[in-house]
Amino acid sequence: MRLRALLETEALGLRLLGGEDELDRPVRGVMTTDLRDPSRYLSGGELVLTGLAWRHGPEDSEPFVRILAGAGVAGLAAGEAELSGVPDDLVAACARHRLPLFAVDEKVAFATITEHVVRQVSGERAGDLAAVVDRHRRLMSSGPAGGGGPEAVLDLLGSDLDLRAWVLSPTGRQIAGTAADGHQLPPETCARLAGEHLAAMRRGRLGPHRTRLAGTVYSLFPITQGSRDLRETVLSDWLLAVEADAGEWPEERLDLLQGVTQLIAVERERRDAARTVRRRLAQEVLELVQAGAAPAEIAARLRVAVPVLLPGVGAAPQWQVVVARVDWDGGEVPAGGPVAQALLEEVLLDPAASGAGPADRIAVAHTGEEAVALLPLPAVGGGAEGAELGAQALLDAVAQPLARGLADDGRLTIGVSAAVHSSEGLRGALEEARHARRVAAARTGRVCAAGHEELASHVLLLPFVPDDVRRAFTARLLDPLRDYDRRHRADLMETLEAFLACDGSWTRCATRLHLHVNTLRYRVGRIEQLTGRDLSRLEDKLDFFLALRMS
């Protein structure tokens, strides 16, 4: 299908404003957007429809058009309803970038153009895709009759094509699923599918990715494929999991599923836009706290935030702060703050991970390389305080899939503060969460988290010990034992760990290791001989304990 054919279709009400020499460009799809930067949702060949809500002034047109041209879109169609016409600066920008520009009469709905393009592009699958577009129109419509969300599209796959399908987050959170038979994927299956998808994306494999779990074949379709660095989006993009082997499908059905992912991407875009207010509130509070603003000023901003984050609640009795950071090894890497922000939102939206509740309670800002979440905890009844978010609970449900997305060159570290009851405590909570994140960063593993409760022990000091000092300290104490174990298979390291864990109790340690007490005494004596330390002395016990924690 060519742009020229769209212009010649009178029912579409398109009027050419520029790019007459480019009308033979093929159209491979259609996308509606009002984002300033929609590049993450573009793969090339689309007709982009826009209501111009992204334009606040003439200076906005050039960067918007440059992004579209760089993504390889076929053309741009601008609605005339918002600004009573297409502004001259947009016409000029399209001319500079040789991007065909059409005006859409205000009487013509974008859904009409979308349906026509989908019908033409999809050929013999036009009937199925028209139904998808009809669901899409209902999904995007306002009012109680619309807003079906991704479920509307997935219901069509189930009822018309007999396909079970689910939309999953990168953490394995189930966002939507086919409702025809009420079948839900177990959380562990969702997590494994998300992990398989992230691993395939990081290896550069083209979707759909096929995997077999418990004898069932699933095909995994990326919801979005941007033209930017994959590391900017892979940890936050959704995926479509279909219970079928897409390797056996004809091209027409693959095209249909690709169209479905584009429709779901529009819903994702809408949900992201809905977070804008909460992100801005979190950003404003964070900037006030970091600038050392007066508690009264911070409290005033929090009073604005509470009705947005906790509708119907007069005040939030307590707040928690969560800090996250994504680091990549070597080379040019994407800006860490925005990546961590999108990822932390997904982590906090996962009920198995956080219990944080509805999406409208998630407010995440970013500063530098960090993302900072402001989490309100409402009272749970009877004047009791809300349950705190725990670092381990936050980590357990999401570590497995995210570790695969981080692959061999990325790390996610998270710190969680204690709850505070007023604006005066927010600055301390922020510092506490940052210290906890540094504790997490001192550990091994691709995904690590630490909570405020760990800051009351010696582990608070460990992240601040220089690496060369840590290596020298642990090598001096533990290398003689490791060498001896390698030569004699004596299990001295295991014995040392058990002895310290049992607080130096000979009887409990021998029972734990299933040894005779005399055998245990021999091993401890050998440890003392090899290291020149005395395990009856508190100082030496502490040195060994710290060496084990830092190794």
Side-chain angles (χ1 to χ4, degrees):
M1 179 186 180
R2 306 286 174 173
L3 285 174
R4 189 180 305 280
L6 292 176
L7 184 63
E8 294 171 352
T9 305
E10 294 183 5
L12 300 183
L14 295 177
R15 190 172 77 257
L16 184 64
L17 300 180
E20 185 175 359
D21 295 338
E22 306 292 333
L23 291 180
D24 287 326
R25 290 186 180 187
V27 179
R28 299 187 178 91
V30 62
M31 176 194 174
T32 301
T33 186
D34 274 312
L35 289 177
R36 289 190 177 190
D37 181 2
S39 59
R40 65 184 297 181
Y41 302 110
L42 298 171
S43 56
E46 298 92 349
L47 173 67
V48 175
L49 307 175
T50 180
L52 300 177
W54 50 267
R55 182 186 178 276
H56 301 295
E59 68 280 358
D60 293 334
S61 293
E62 172 64 25
F64 181 77
V65 172
R66 187 190 313 120
I67 289 169
L68 297 188
V73 304
L76 173 65
E80 296 184 307
E82 183 75 17
L83 300 177
S84 300
V86 178
D88 293 339
D89 49 270
L90 181 59
V91 176
C94 287
R96 283 193 295 272
H97 291 276
R98 300 176 61 86
L99 181 67
L101 175 64
F102 302 89
V104 181
D105 190 280
E106 61 183 19
K107 297 178 182 178
V108 178
F110 282 177
T112 301
I113 301 174
T114 300
E115 181 173 346
H116 179 83
V117 172
V118 169
R119 281 181 180 275
Q120 298 299 317
V121 169
S122 302
E124 64 187 72
R125 302 306 295 178
D128 289 333
L129 285 171
V132 172
V133 173
D134 180 65
R135 292 298 182 97
H136 176 242
R137 184 189 296 114
R138 293 199 310 133
L139 178 149
M140 296 304 292
S141 63
S142 59
E151 291 85 355
V153 179
L154 299 188
D155 285 351
L156 178 72
L157 294 180
S159 61
D160 290 10
L161 302 181
D162 196 27
L163 289 175
R164 286 177 170 177
W166 300 266
V167 179
L168 305 178
S169 79
T171 66
R173 175 174 62 94
Q174 184 168 311
I175 298 162
T178 46
D181 58 1
H183 181 68
Q184 298 289 313
L185 285 179
E188 58 272 16
T189 301
C190 292
R192 289 188 62 186
L193 290 175
E196 291 291 333
H197 170 74
L198 290 173
M201 292 288 287
R202 287 305 311 276
R203 288 196 295 268
R205 289 171 49 196
L206 297 177
H209 316 124
R210 289 174 291 159
T211 187
R212 182 183 296 272
L213 296 180
T216 301
V217 177
Y218 297 91
S219 297
L220 310 176
F221 293 81
I223 296 294
T224 60
Q225 288 182 305
S227 58
R228 298 177 296 176
D229 191 318
L230 178 65
R231 293 170 295 182
E232 292 189 52
T233 59
V234 68
L235 296 175
S236 57
D237 279 347
W238 291 354
L239 66 135
L240 176 66
V242 181
E243 190 180 288
D245 188 348
E248 301 174 353
W249 287 357
E251 286 296 325
E252 292 83 0
R253 178 161 289 200
L254 286 172
D255 288 343
L256 170 61
L257 266 292
Q258 292 294 349
V260 168
T261 62
Q262 291 179 8
L263 298 183
I264 298 174
V266 174
E267 170 65 8
R268 172 64 189 273
E269 180 181 330
R270 189 175 74 164
R271 294 192 184 189
D272 283 347
R275 294 181 190 173
T276 302
V277 173
R278 297 191 296 276
R279 283 179 170 181
R280 186 173 67 247
L281 284 171
Q283 199 73 39
E284 290 172 355
V285 173
L286 175 62
E287 290 172 0
L288 288 174
V289 170
Q290 292 192 137
E297 188 177 358
I298 299 174
R301 179 52 51 188
L302 289 177
R303 283 194 293 272
V304 175
V306 168
V308 175
L309 301 178
L310 296 173
V313 177
Q318 51 184 348
W319 300 84
Q320 269 187 285
V321 175
V322 182
V323 172
R325 177 170 172 143
V326 177
D327 293 290
W328 303 98
D329 297 337
E332 294 186 6
V333 297
V339 176
Q341 181 183 41
L343 178 55
L344 184 55
E345 285 174 338
E346 284 297 339
V347 169
L348 291 174
L349 282 169
D350 194 317
S354 68
D360 58 8
R361 283 181 51 195
I362 307 302
V364 185
H366 70 81
T367 175
E369 296 300 310
E370 290 180 335
V372 180
L374 188 65
L375 188 64
L377 302 178
V380 295
E385 297 177 349
E388 281 191 359
L389 170 64
Q392 194 57 44
L394 188 68
L395 193 62
D396 287 345
V398 302
Q400 184 269 331
L402 291 183
R404 303 195 68 180
L406 291 161
D408 296 327
D409 61 345
R411 288 198 76 204
L412 168 65
T413 51
I414 300 175
V416 182
S417 79
V420 295
H421 301 265
S422 65
S423 56
E424 288 88 343
L426 273 182
R427 186 170 188 179
L430 176 60
E431 290 305 314
E432 190 172 57
R434 283 175 167 162
H435 281 306
R437 193 205 63 78
R438 295 188 188 103
V439 170
R443 296 171 177 164
T444 58
R446 290 293 164 189
V447 183
C448 298
H452 61 91
E453 66 279 356
E454 299 184 58
L455 302 185
S457 81
H458 64 279
V459 295
L460 174 62
L461 303 175
L462 298 186
F464 304 101
V465 178
D467 288 343
D468 55 343
V469 175
R470 293 159 65 97
R471 286 192 294 268
F473 181 71
T474 56
R476 187 177 303 114
L477 280 175
L478 302 182
D479 279 2
L481 306 182
R482 292 177 177 135
D483 292 341
Y484 191 87
D485 281 347
R486 277 194 295 269
R487 293 195 307 270
H488 303 284
R489 299 181 182 179
D491 295 327
L492 295 187
M493 285 291 294
E494 180 187 6
T495 301
L496 175 62
E497 291 181 32
F499 188 71
L500 295 175
C502 293
D503 298 323
S505 169
W506 297 99
T507 303
R508 282 194 290 128
C509 185
T511 301
R512 177 171 175 170
L513 295 174
H514 306 290
L515 298 175
H516 192 278
V517 172
N518 288 341
T519 303
L520 175 62
R521 290 185 182 277
Y522 171 80
R523 289 188 181 180
V524 170
R526 177 63 68 183
I527 291 171
E528 293 175 334
Q529 180 184 20
L530 290 169
T531 61
R533 299 299 185 103
D534 183 353
L535 278 170
S536 65
R537 297 178 67 247
L538 176 60
E539 295 89 343
D540 288 343
K541 286 181 183 177
L542 181 59
D543 283 348
F544 277 121
F545 179 77
L546 291 174
L548 289 170
R549 292 301 297 266
M550 289 191 293
S551 64

